[in-house]
Amino acid sequence: MEMIAFYASWVLIALGSFFLVAGALGMLRMPDVYTRMHAASVIDTLGATLLVFGLMIQAGLTLVALKLVFVLALLFFFGPVASHALAQAALHADIEPILAEDRRGRDVPPKAGEDPSRKEGGQHDPRQ
Amino acid sequence: MFYVATGAILLALLFVVIRAIKGPTVFDRALAGNSIGTLAILLLASYGFLTGRPEFLDIGLTYGLLNLIGTFAVLKFFRHGDLAYDITDDEEKPGWK
Amino acid sequence: MRTIFLAIALALFWLALSGHYTPFLMSVGAVCIILTVALAYRMNIVDEEGVPVELILAAPAYWFWLYIEIVKSAWSVTRLILDPRLPISPTFTRVRAGQKTAAGIATYANSITLTPGTITTGVEGDILEVHAIVSGGADDLEQGGMDRRVSRFEGSIATTNKEKA
């Protein structure tokens, strides 16, 4: 059983390291800032989580494993917020993305099913 | 095996630092700075395991929080030229509900 | 009710982080928690948006589903990176978020950003502006599979809210 845990954590750590390096390589290869952000999110999500899962198996059921959970929570709750702020700031600064296809002008289909009932019910809309 | 992880993180850091130096825009550098922060947390974690002192994780958590605030401060500074800028002062209030 | 939940969550967080249970550290922790909760209360952020307690039961299943999605799309983005031809086709698109609450829309937008290959770049009402690294990623979002999953996740809150009211 201990051997299985040992090998599992080894595999997880090796895979996580692979995705970290791949994401960093992507940040070098991609042509503009928006596409680089996709490469960076490979580091932030898959690379980091696999590595941390591997470390958690090594730590066992201790406070250290709990702290690793906090590290994951930090990355998962604040990572997208930072990416979103970065993308919005770059758009605001008129940095034109390299696009193969621009569908920003497309008509967005109306909400499926739920829309009429919401108007009749007159529920409060927190977004207003 | 912690040597593998630490080495991989250092290699990834090298790539990201090259991106931070090359730029070309400030947002590339801010993105690279953010990724350096993530990699630094992971480096602290794996180095803590390597040396048998997982207390480094606390430093990693603090570093992550500071990294987030630092990224926002940089972005806000380059967008408005002022860290104390209040978006509700805007006439048009872009994206504000 | 939410205030008490926030205080309990903060207390657990403090206990987990310290690992030392001396009277001095405990009293410092209590003071910190009281200050934080008082500040949050005064800022009026202890509401269904700031402290979405109802989510907590449905959250693990949703996170598991989201993690599978992340693994799938991270793998495809990694394949793009390692492909020597770099076959990317960056696409901007707009999708509608079908969620009813602000917390639901934030969950959807953050889930899109967390999945490698797609990033939410702007939110206007319930229209999200999304940048995808390949046009296929934009197609998937336009079909709305993730939107429905987040709505289902959020729906579990909506019903519990009604029961309370």
Side-chain angles (χ1 to χ4, degrees):
Chain A
M1 190 59 211
E2 272 173 19
M3 285 309 276
I4 296 172
F6 179 82
Y7 284 118
S9 75
W10 205 98
V11 167
L12 284 175
I13 289 176
L15 273 177
S17 307
F18 167 73
F19 282 107
L20 286 182
V21 175
L25 192 67
M27 282 183 76
L28 277 186
R29 289 196 69 198
M30 291 296 175
D32 75 336
V33 63
Y34 303 98
T35 45
R36 273 172 210 140
M37 288 168 68
H38 297 299
S41 73
V42 174
I43 299 182
D44 282 354
T45 55
L46 195 56
T49 48
L50 289 179
L51 192 66
V52 169
F53 284 151
L55 293 180
M56 271 161 76
I57 295 177
Q58 288 285 323
L61 282 174
T62 53
L63 271 186
V64 175
L66 200 59
K67 277 175 195 167
L68 286 168
V69 174
F70 288 144
V71 170
L72 274 192
L74 188 86
L75 289 175
F76 265 52
F77 280 98
F78 296 148
V81 180
S83 307
H84 174 76
L86 199 63
Q88 218 176 21
L91 275 179
H92 188 82
D94 292 330
I95 295 186
E96 277 304 309
I98 297 171
L99 287 182
E101 210 177 328
D102 194 346
R103 302 186 198 153
R104 269 177 291 187
R106 87 187 183 98
D107 290 329
V108 181
K111 210 169 282 188
E114 298 167 327
D115 219 358
S117 66
R118 219 178 89 206
K119 274 172 193 160
E120 285 165 16
Q123 292 168 347
H124 89 112
D125 189 341
R127 275 170 275 114
Q128 293 300 314
Chain B
M1 93 184 95
F2 298 129
Y3 285 103
V4 176
T6 313
I9 293 168
L10 286 174
L11 183 63
L13 265 175
L14 178 73
F15 290 153
V16 176
V17 168
I18 291 174
R19 173 48 67 199
I21 293 170
K22 271 167 74 177
T25 66
V26 66
F27 301 105
D28 289 294
R29 298 197 167 102
L31 175 64
N34 200 18
S35 295
I36 288 173
T38 309
L39 288 170
I41 300 172
L42 296 174
L43 184 63
L44 279 166
S46 72
Y47 187 72
F49 275 86
L50 186 66
T51 54
R53 293 172 62 193
E55 292 84 8
F56 279 145
L57 273 175
D58 294 337
I59 308 172
L61 274 172
T62 319
Y63 193 94
L65 290 170
L66 287 177
N67 181 45
L68 176 82
I69 297 168
T71 307
F72 279 147
V74 168
L75 289 176
K76 202 173 176 187
F77 183 75
F78 279 103
R79 181 158 169 180
H80 306 300
D82 178 9
L83 288 185
Y85 186 85
D86 185 358
I87 200 168
T88 49
D89 290 345
D90 263 6
E91 285 296 312
E92 54 192 311
K93 299 181 183 175
W96 193 256
K97 287 159 257 173
Chain C
M1 183 58 214
R2 286 177 200 279
T3 319
I4 296 167
F5 185 84
L6 180 64
I8 292 171
L10 284 173
L12 289 177
F13 186 57
W14 180 280
L15 291 178
L17 273 190
S18 75
H20 298 278
Y21 306 106
T22 59
F24 172 71
L25 277 175
M26 298 308 243
S27 45
V28 173
V31 171
C32 284
I33 290 161
I34 290 167
L35 281 178
T36 313
V37 172
L39 187 67
Y41 191 76
R42 291 259 297 155
M43 284 170 78
N44 272 331
I45 54 172
V46 189
D47 49 15
E48 79 261 10
E49 190 181 342
V51 189
V53 184
E54 302 83 4
L55 288 167
I56 207 157
L57 285 179
Y62 177 71
W63 285 336
F64 185 74
W65 176 83
L66 182 64
Y67 193 71
I68 304 288
E69 290 295 303
I70 286 173
V71 171
K72 278 192 284 191
S73 54
W75 174 239
S76 59
V77 173
T78 311
R79 272 213 320 253
L80 283 178
I81 291 169
L82 297 180
D83 193 313
R85 286 175 299 116
L86 207 64
I88 55 173
S89 51
T91 307
F92 248 119
T93 187
R94 284 144 56 91
V95 293
R96 184 183 290 279
Q99 289 75 38
K100 296 195 196 84
T101 61
I105 291 180
T107 308
Y108 184 40
N110 275 355
S111 303
I112 291 175
T113 311
L114 262 178
T115 334
T118 45
I119 290 177
T120 315
T121 56
V123 185
E124 268 175 49
D126 56 357
I127 305 289
L128 308 180
E129 216 176 70
V130 177
H131 182 272
I133 195 169
V134 287
S135 53
D139 295 339
D140 287 348
L141 277 181
E142 281 163 17
Q143 278 159 21
M146 186 182 239
D147 183 36
R148 281 189 292 277
R149 182 65 182 84
V150 179
S151 292
R152 198 144 57 84
F153 170 53
E154 184 210 25
S156 61
I157 327 167
T159 48
T160 49
N161 265 346
K162 269 175 208 157
E163 281 161 16
K164 272 178 196 165

